[in-house]
Amino acid sequence: MFIFATDTSQLQHTIRGAYGGDFDGRGYLSRFFDRRYSFAIPPLGNFVSSKLDLVDLEKIASPARNKNFEKNELLKSVIAEGFAAQMPGISLRSIEQIMDIMGSTITAWRYPEKIDLPSLLILASCYHRRQDFDYIAFCRTMSPWETGASWGGARESIDVTQTAINIMQRALDLRAAINDQPQSAVDEYVNSIFVDEYNRRRDARGTKPPSVQTELPALIRNAGRITRGGEKA
């Protein structure tokens, strides 16, 4: 007995390409395979969770806050929702490769500050799918990506995509990244991304010293070269 793992649909297309568009590719394959079993597509949340078991989630920060969920489970949920916002048009194979890029980037992160999760996911997805970092254009293709957090005793809905854009733009100038008077859960989260670094680098030189968050694209590009085997020409 032999067991073969194939993308049968693509294999049938290949056969029809060789023998003609009207050729019965499925019938032809039946000459070689006695039985077939098709695996069900796993729920996105379960798939994402299974791929994060080897990732150091302590290095990343998320705007989501919910006292009823354990921190890592909440992080996994936010990541799954981020990929869901990119559907349709993204396969589980692409999600796996993007998560590989994210994992390698997290491993290479050498700073005490945590990585902003929304920025990481958007930049990794944008690079993997487009081979660039035009994240504004990429975000326009996404469906709403929202999460919740508490502020002033009330529950707020956070636009995660817009929060990531805000952080990526603020990261260009660390001195101006802090909101002195936060007015929402979003403001509080954005401050949490930059405040420790701001205090650590209070005497940083330059008129507009960038945050370490701006190093994400370079780390993602390096990780992507390994995952994809090269960049777009």
Side-chain angles (χ1 to χ4, degrees):
M1 176 184 292
F2 296 93
I3 298 176
F4 295 89
T6 68
D7 184 335
T8 306
S9 177
Q10 290 300 318
L11 191 54
Q12 289 173 187
H13 282 305
T14 300
I15 292 171
R16 282 197 294 270
Y19 291 97
D22 296 329
F23 189 80
D24 183 7
R26 182 180 179 85
Y28 181 79
L29 290 177
S30 296
R31 298 171 55 189
F32 305 98
F33 304 120
D34 295 325
R35 296 178 182 274
R36 298 182 183 183
Y37 181 83
S38 298
F39 289 97
I41 297 176
L44 181 58
N46 293 350
F47 181 79
V48 168
S49 181
S50 70
K51 299 301 176 182
L52 288 171
D53 289 340
L54 298 179
V55 175
D56 185 1
L57 298 179
E58 291 301 317
K59 286 187 176 182
I60 59 179
S62 163
R65 299 286 187 276
N66 193 320
K67 62 182 180 181
N68 297 320
F69 288 89
E70 191 268 335
K71 177 187 173 183
N72 285 356
E73 292 305 312
L74 190 57
L75 283 171
K76 292 175 181 179
S77 175
V78 174
I79 293 172
E81 290 165 0
F83 284 121
Q86 299 178 40
M87 293 182 168
I90 181 170
S91 66
L92 291 182
R93 181 181 295 276
S94 290
I95 289 174
E96 183 176 33
Q97 291 173 342
I98 292 168
M99 292 177 67
D100 184 32
I101 291 173
M102 291 172 62
S104 297
T105 301
I106 292 169
T107 299
W109 188 255
R110 58 189 174 89
Y111 298 104
E113 292 78 27
K114 295 187 177 184
I115 304 169
D116 171 49
L117 170 59
S119 298
L120 174 62
L121 188 144
I122 287 173
L123 289 171
S125 298
C126 184
Y127 179 76
H128 177 268
R129 302 181 70 186
R130 297 188 173 198
Q131 291 290 272
D132 62 36
F133 290 108
D134 188 359
Y135 60 87
I136 298 294
F138 180 80
C139 287
R140 293 194 187 105
T141 69
M142 295 178 64
S143 299
W145 180 16
E146 298 180 350
T147 191
S150 296
W151 169 258
R155 192 77 178 159
E156 286 190 11
S157 177
I158 295 177
D159 184 332
V160 181
T161 307
Q162 188 57 49
T163 300
I165 292 173
N166 186 11
I167 286 174
M168 285 185 272
Q169 292 173 338
R170 284 177 177 267
L172 298 174
D173 181 2
L174 181 59
R175 289 201 177 101
I178 304 297
N179 188 328
D180 292 332
Q181 296 182 321
Q183 300 293 320
S184 66
V186 171
D187 290 345
E188 185 178 56
Y189 173 69
V190 173
N191 275 6
S192 74
I193 293 297
F194 297 112
V195 67
D196 288 343
E197 181 187 3
Y198 179 85
N199 292 330
R200 177 172 66 83
R201 301 178 60 205
R202 191 180 297 275
D203 297 326
R205 297 180 180 180
T207 56
K208 293 184 177 182
S211 165
V212 295
Q213 301 290 329
T214 60
E215 296 196 20
L216 282 175
L219 294 174
I220 289 169
R221 184 180 292 109
N222 286 338
R225 286 174 177 150
I226 298 171
T227 301
R228 296 180 59 89
E231 293 189 56
K232 180 177 67 176

